[in-house]
Amino acid sequence: MSKSILLLSVANIKERSSLHGNVDEKMVLPTIKICQDMYIRPALGSTLYDRLIAGIDNDNLNSDEQNLIDNYIADALTWYVLSELPVQIIYQFYAKAVVKKTDNSSDAISQDEIINIENRHKKYAEHYKIGRAHVGTPVTWPYLVCR
């Protein structure tokens, strides 16, 4: 299992967007991870992406790397998260059913909604299945230096 080192915190996402402060962090964290893996990693290339993750993990990002995250990646990642988040927040998995949460209740969902959720999660799974197959492949993108 991969480490869940995030390029942005939930607090960063909330500061940069209309995501309300009362949204449970546990609902947002997996969405940040999947968005940075599916959208940000391919845009940066594996070498740069892996360096940023290692820099966050080891607390040794240089100023150019921090600038890249703060001024470029953060905006894109915020909006990718918001694009994926509604389904993650509205639909919740329980032992006996998948339900749609409303203000005061949980409603059963339709077969079409189940198929939509199933397809979305298959898309995530396919990303990791295919994405991991070429992790060892050399990246052709040069290491990016921000100035």
Side-chain angles (χ1 to χ4, degrees), residues 9 23-24 35 37 56 65 83 91-92 95 105 111-112 136 143-144 146:
S9 68
V23 174
D24 188 350
C35 288
D37 289 349
I56 291 169
E65 294 163 339
S83 74
Y91 298 101
Q92 295 183 7
S105 66
Q111 184 67 28
D112 287 342
Y143 189 77
L144 178 63
C146 297

Side-chain angles (χ1 to χ4, degrees), residues 27-147:
M27 304 296 288
V28 183
L29 291 171
T31 306
I32 296 171
K33 175 75 169 114
I34 192 75
C35 288
Q36 70 185 39
D37 289 349
M38 288 182 69
Y39 303 116
I40 303 301
R41 182 185 190 110
L44 297 177
S46 295
T47 302
L48 178 55
Y49 179 86
D50 292 345
R51 168 59 202 133
L52 295 175
I53 294 299
I56 291 169
D57 192 28
N58 297 319
D59 194 27
N60 66 356
L61 290 171
N62 66 41
S63 62
D64 290 335
E65 294 163 339
Q66 190 64 57
N67 181 54
L68 178 63
I69 292 171
D70 293 344
N71 295 307
Y72 299 95
I73 294 171
D75 290 330
L77 184 54
T78 295
W79 297 109
Y80 280 127
V81 168
L82 289 182
S83 74
E84 296 284 347
L85 197 56
V87 170
Q88 305 303 331
I89 290 176
I90 293 171
Y91 298 101
Q92 295 183 7
F93 291 75
Y94 293 96
K96 296 187 183 229
V98 177
V99 297
K100 183 188 291 186
K101 299 293 280 182
T102 60
D103 282 343
N104 298 318
S105 66
S106 298
D107 299 325
I109 63 174
S110 71
Q111 184 67 28
D112 287 342
E113 289 172 304
I114 290 172
I115 291 169
N116 182 30
I117 294 167
E118 183 179 291
N119 288 338
R120 179 177 293 266
H121 287 93
K122 280 183 183 174
K123 176 182 79 170
Y124 298 157
E126 288 297 316
H127 166 77
Y128 284 105
K129 181 174 127 186
I130 294 167
R132 298 294 180 225
H134 48 78
V135 166
T137 304
V139 177
T140 57
W141 292 34
Y143 189 77
L144 178 63
V145 176
C146 297
R147 299 199 189 274

